[in-house]
């Protein structure tokens, strides 16, 4: 994960220019890791998006 990619994704997510999934992809991290980064920085995460993201990560992890 590059710092610039993460910073850009965080900024664009905060402005609601990207969805959580899009921002995580731009940052090059999983959605759950991106949620962690958002929470560390005090950026509000839409609850529905977070549940969807964390559920998707759990599903993909169990498929491996």
């Amino acid at each position: 994960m590059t710092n610039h990619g993460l910073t850009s994704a965080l900024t664009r997510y905060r402005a609601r220019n990207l969805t959580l999934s899009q921002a995580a992809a731009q940052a090059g991290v999983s959605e759950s890791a991106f949620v962690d980064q958002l929470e560390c920085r005090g950026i509000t995460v839409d609850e529905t998006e977070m549940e969807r993201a964390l559920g998707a990560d759990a599903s993909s992890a169990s498929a491996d």
Side-chain angles (χ1 to χ4, degrees), residues 8-36:
S8 175
L10 290 165
T11 301
R12 294 184 70 197
Y13 179 80
R14 181 184 298 176
R16 300 298 189 235
N17 292 328
L18 294 176
T19 65
L20 191 144
S21 296
Q22 291 169 330
Q26 179 180 321
V29 298
S30 69
E31 292 175 356
S32 60
F34 193 72
V35 168
D36 290 343

